[in-house]
């Protein structure tokens, strides 16, 4: 569609406002999120909400029409997000299904994969996840040892993945595996689109310190994959993974154009409301507490402006994709500081209280999660220094060496 044939943003906004008021339940401003734990019921509700959005014509706003979306602009998505702020939204689908996996398939997948899986996700029929991290891999994604061996027209997958966000609720996952052990580590990888619930895949949910079980670990024992499950080129998986990591950094940084509604929907760790916490702690009139709330508000505003600037810069070609690490790093630092301020404001109420203030202690225990999601903050700083500022790359002993010759711990 050309710009001249697009529905103008204001008309779209008014249509969305009327449809939301008639079809979607409003959020209860006084509701307290459930305690962390299993969220299976929430996922059932999420699928239903996504199907409702699709039936109403408000799903996949920025995805192309030929793959089930509306083919509209980011401005249309922003308008819908603003109008839907007071309504229940399928936020659990934002990360990683819509903001990471679907755009990666859009950029690197086959025409068949795009038509089948992006449209299914938009309809609410499929949920997508990531099989990237490994138990022994740390932050070195290119060093994965999960392997896929060719067997005629199929591939056989063996190995293990971990820290897969909400994989138990998903239908398919993007899985990076090694397919050539004699090539250097970045050039012997292939990305696969794997059906999760099939013979040979064992999945376990990981219980975190706050009680949440949203992360999973997976074990692959002779899992048979069809030839059309390859995303991109055989042994070209690092190009796909690089694009996937770009979308992950952008999503974690808060700059994805594909999310609908505000937030990721992670009910295991709701964002602290500092004003509510101050009132529950009886400290809302203290000057120092007001200063801390003001600091958090200022950081949030700076973050919003940074996201806007980087997104515009990348869309106009003034910034390269690595600039997404700026958003990702500042998002982490904002999260750290907000959790720190919440603890300082809440005091003992953060442990003994109820409602918003009573969750402060749990949130603080999970504080470092902001340092890891979307790649560690150390990785973000490396990307900023090397790919944005042009500083020298750090030394790597395994660069350009056949992966079969790289020393690994046993």
């Amino acid at each position: 569609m050309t710009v001249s044939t697009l529905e103008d943003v204001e008309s779209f906004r008014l249509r969305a406002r009327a449809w939301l008021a008639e079809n979607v339940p409003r959020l209860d401003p006084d509701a307290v999120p459930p305690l962390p734990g299993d969220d299976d019921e929430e996922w059932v509700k999420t699928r239903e909400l996504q199907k409702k959005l699709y039936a109403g014509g408000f799903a996949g706003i920025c995805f192309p029409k030929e793959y089930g979306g509306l083919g509209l602009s980011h401005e249309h998505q922003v308008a819908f997000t603003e109008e839907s702020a007071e309504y229940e939204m399928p936020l659990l689908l934002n990360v990683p299904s819509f903001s990471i996996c679907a755009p990666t398939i859009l950029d690197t997948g086959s025409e068949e994969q795009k038509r089948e899986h992006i449209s299914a996700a938009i309809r609410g029929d499929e949920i997508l996840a990531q099989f990237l991290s490994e138990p022994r891999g740390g932050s070195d994604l290119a060093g994965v040892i999960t392997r896929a061996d060719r067997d005629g027209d199929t591939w056989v997958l063996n190995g293990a993945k971990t820290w897969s966000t909400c994989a138990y609720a998903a239908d398919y996952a993007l899985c990076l595996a090694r397919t050539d052990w004699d090539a250097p580590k970045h050039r012997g990888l292939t990305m696969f689109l794997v059906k999760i619930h099939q013979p040979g895949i064992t999945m376990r949910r990981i219980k975190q310190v706050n009680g949440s079980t949203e992360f999973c670990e997976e074990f692959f024992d002779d899992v048979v994959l069809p030839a059309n499950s390859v995303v991109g080129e055989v042994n070209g998986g690092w190009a796909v993974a690089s694009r996937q990591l770009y979308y992950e950094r952008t999503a974690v940084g808060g700059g994805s154009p594909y999310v609908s509604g505000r937030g990721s929907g992670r009910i295991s760790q709701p964002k602290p409301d500092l004003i509510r916490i101050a009132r529950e702690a009886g400290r809302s009139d203290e000057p120092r507490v007001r200063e801390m709330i003001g600091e958090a508000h200022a950081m949030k505003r700076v973050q919003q402006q940074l996201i806007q600037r980087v997104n515009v810069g990348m869309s106009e070609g003034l910034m390269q994709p690595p600039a997404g690490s700026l958003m990702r790093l500042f998002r982490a630092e904002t999260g750290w500081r907000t959790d720190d301020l919440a603890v300082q404001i809440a005091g003992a109420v953060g442990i003994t209280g109820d409602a918003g203030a009573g969750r402060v202690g749990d949130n603080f225990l999970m504080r470092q999660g902001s340092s890891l999601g979307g790649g560690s903050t150390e990785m973000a700083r490396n990307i900023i220094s090397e790919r944005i500022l042009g500083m020298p790359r750090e030394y790597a002993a395994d660069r350009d060496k056949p992966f079969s010759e790289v020393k690994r711990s046993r």
Side-chain angles (χ1 to χ4, degrees):
M1 297 176 69
T2 63
V3 174
S4 60
T5 62
L6 293 177
E7 178 181 12
D8 68 85
V9 174
E10 193 56 32
S11 172
F12 180 78
R13 178 190 294 275
L14 294 175
R15 189 163 61 84
R17 183 181 300 171
W19 182 84
L20 286 163
E22 186 174 343
N23 293 279
V24 182
R26 284 185 177 271
L27 292 170
D28 180 357
D30 297 320
V32 178
L35 291 170
D38 293 347
D39 54 2
D40 300 71
E41 292 183 6
E42 190 72 13
W43 276 103
V44 173
K45 184 178 180 181
T46 292
R47 285 184 185 260
E48 293 173 351
L49 285 170
Q50 183 63 27
K51 291 178 182 294
K52 182 175 290 188
L53 285 183
Y54 180 76
F58 293 99
I61 292 172
C62 289
F63 285 99
K65 292 190 71 175
E66 59 265 36
Y67 306 128
L70 301 183
L72 298 175
S73 70
H74 187 211
E75 287 71 25
H76 289 81
Q77 179 61 74
V78 170
F80 184 80
T81 295
E82 291 174 350
E83 293 299 324
S84 64
E86 297 180 0
Y87 295 89
E88 294 182 1
M89 286 286 109
L91 299 181
L92 286 171
L93 296 177
N94 279 346
V95 181
S97 197
F98 283 137
S99 59
I100 304 174
C101 298
T104 302
I105 296 172
L106 180 64
D107 286 357
T108 63
S110 66
E111 194 66 20
E112 177 188 0
Q113 290 167 346
K114 295 175 188 179
R115 293 188 182 279
E116 179 179 348
H117 297 285
I118 295 177
S119 60
I122 292 172
R123 293 193 307 269
D125 293 336
E126 274 186 17
I127 296 172
L128 305 170
Q130 301 187 95
F131 288 166
L132 294 179
S133 299
E134 295 190 358
R136 61 184 292 170
S139 296
D140 183 16
L141 180 59
V144 300
I145 59 173
T146 292
R147 65 187 301 149
D149 299 301
R150 195 190 295 269
D151 182 14
D153 293 332
T154 64
W155 295 86
V156 180
L157 185 69
N158 285 280
K161 298 288 183 177
T162 191
W163 303 120
S164 308
T165 303
C166 294
Y168 60 90
D171 302 288
Y172 284 85
L174 289 169
C175 178
L176 190 64
R178 188 159 304 281
T179 47
D180 186 347
W181 292 74
D182 294 323
K185 65 180 184 179
H186 291 85
R187 298 200 289 272
L189 300 168
T190 302
M191 188 71 74
F192 295 89
L193 192 54
V194 177
K195 185 176 181 180
I196 293 177
H197 304 289
Q198 65 169 302
I201 298 181
T202 301
M203 179 178 293
R204 298 173 185 166
R205 296 172 71 164
I206 303 171
K207 188 172 184 178
Q208 300 174 79
V209 70
N210 68 344
S212 169
T213 59
E214 71 181 63
F215 287 112
C216 299
E217 57 182 354
E218 300 83 28
F219 303 91
F220 311 118
D221 297 292
D222 294 330
V223 179
V224 178
L225 305 176
N228 64 2
S229 63
V230 173
V231 181
E233 301 293 332
V234 173
N235 293 331
W238 187 248
V240 181
S242 295
R243 197 62 182 160
Q244 189 173 347
L245 293 173
Y246 157 72
Y247 282 119
E248 186 173 70
R249 289 190 293 266
T250 303
V252 173
S256 174
Y258 297 108
V259 300
S260 205
R262 298 188 189 278
S264 66
R266 296 270 79 78
I267 64 172
S268 62
Q269 191 180 3
K271 295 179 180 179
D273 182 340
L274 298 188
I275 295 177
R276 181 175 183 174
I277 291 169
R279 288 172 177 165
E280 291 179 9
R283 305 184 64 191
S284 57
D285 292 331
E286 295 181 22
R288 176 56 186 143
V289 170
R290 288 174 171 265
E291 288 178 2
M292 289 190 283
I293 293 173
E295 178 186 345
H297 179 72
M299 290 188 71
K300 183 177 180 180
R301 293 291 294 169
V302 170
Q303 181 187 7
Q304 292 169 343
Q305 293 297 316
L306 176 66
I307 291 171
Q308 181 179 7
R309 179 174 179 178
V310 172
N311 277 335
V312 170
M314 289 194 293
S315 65
E316 296 183 355
L318 301 175
M319 292 181 175
Q320 296 302 309
S325 291
L326 295 168
M327 297 186 292
R328 185 262 172 274
L329 181 59
F330 195 79
R331 178 72 170 263
E333 294 183 344
T334 301
W336 301 335
R337 186 57 181 153
T338 301
D339 284 331
D340 291 348
L341 291 172
V343 170
Q344 293 179 45
I345 292 171
V349 178
I351 299 175
T352 62
D354 297 321
R359 301 293 177 84
V360 169
D362 283 341
N363 280 358
F364 188 78
L365 289 174
M366 299 296 293
R367 174 186 183 275
Q368 291 307 110
S370 298
S371 303
L372 301 172
S376 68
T377 51
E378 290 82 3
M379 293 172 63
R381 290 188 172 96
N382 272 357
I383 292 171
I384 292 168
S385 66
E386 296 173 4
R387 304 184 196 177
I388 299 177
L389 302 179
M391 298 175 69
R393 292 188 64 177
E394 64 179 348
Y395 172 74
D398 57 3
R399 186 168 295 144
D400 297 325
K401 180 181 293 189
F403 193 74
S404 57
E405 298 178 10
V406 174
K407 292 182 179 180
R408 299 187 302 275
S409 60
R410 297 185 181 277

